[in-house]
Amino acid sequence: DGGITQSPKYLFRKEGQNVTLSCEQNLNHDAMYWYRQDPGQGLRLIYYSQIVNDFQKGDIAEGYSVSREKKESFPLTVTSAQKNPTAFYLCASSIDLRPGTGNTIYFGEGSWLTVV
Amino acid sequence: GQQLNQSPQSMFIQEGEDVSMNCTSSSIFNTWLWYKQDPGEGPVLLIALYKAGELTSNGRLTAQFGITRKDSFLNISASIPSDVGIYFCAGQPQVSYNNNDMRFGAGTRLTVKP
């Protein structure tokens, strides 16, 4: 099936530990994104990538890092510098989102990260 | 970036009733998207709108791209228990600070009583 696969679904992080969330898509989309979702708030953009080997910071990039070595993969690392990492993380992809292209964005199933 | 204003924040309705929710922005948008999210799952795209005035249906769901290009609404007719979830809007501003600027509403939590 075509789609976006995130793993793991649930992840627990100890204080001072880095953890990595995986995101893989087989939609042949150029652009990929990571969003953070907190209760009662709209999605907030962490990082995005429009093309392999290139990525840009979103609105809340501090404490996070990404890589885009392959078109289909966009892993997110939550570093120990992120002081409040407990949240639901969503990976997404699109053909591209240049204004006027009329494209749309599709989401993975999400990953829960909890600090213990 | 500035998020969208979505209302209502929550709705409690009886099965069979119709539902309406909307999103507004202070700036002009060229794309409006509506998603449904079940608890602990990723959002699923319901309807995509790309043109001012566009009215699109998907089963019992109907969404419209406002003529002013600053708003959109989603209607659900004859609600059923499986409509329960969070519905949120997303949109792409006409003028963006980058090529991947998508804004999101905070969501409308829908509860349907049998």
Side-chain angles (χ1 to χ4, degrees), chain A residues 9 33 37 50 97 102 105, chain B residues 35 37 40 50 92 99-100:
Chain A
K9 181 70 176 178
Y33 315 83
Q37 188 174 37
Q50 293 178 265
L97 282 184
I105 189 168
Chain B
Y35 294 87
Q37 186 175 22
Y50 302 115
Q92 189 176 25
N99 287 338
N100 291 274

Side-chain angles (χ1 to χ4, degrees), chain A residues 7-57:
Chain A
S7 63
K9 181 70 176 178
Y10 301 95
L11 188 59
F12 297 90
R13 193 195 91 169
K14 293 181 181 177
E15 296 284 346
Q17 193 178 45
N18 293 353
V19 293
T20 297
L21 306 178
S22 168
C23 179
E24 303 278 328
Q25 55 99 359
N26 60 5
L27 300 169
N28 200 32
H29 285 171
D30 288 314
M32 296 186 75
Y33 315 83
W34 275 103
Y35 290 93
R36 171 178 171 142
Q37 188 174 37
D38 293 285
Q41 296 188 35
L43 300 181
R44 292 184 292 168
L45 182 65
I46 304 173
Y47 267 98
Y48 68 95
S49 169
Q50 293 178 265
I51 196 170
V52 173
N53 292 324
D54 183 62
F55 48 83
Q56 304 296 329
K57 292 182 179 180

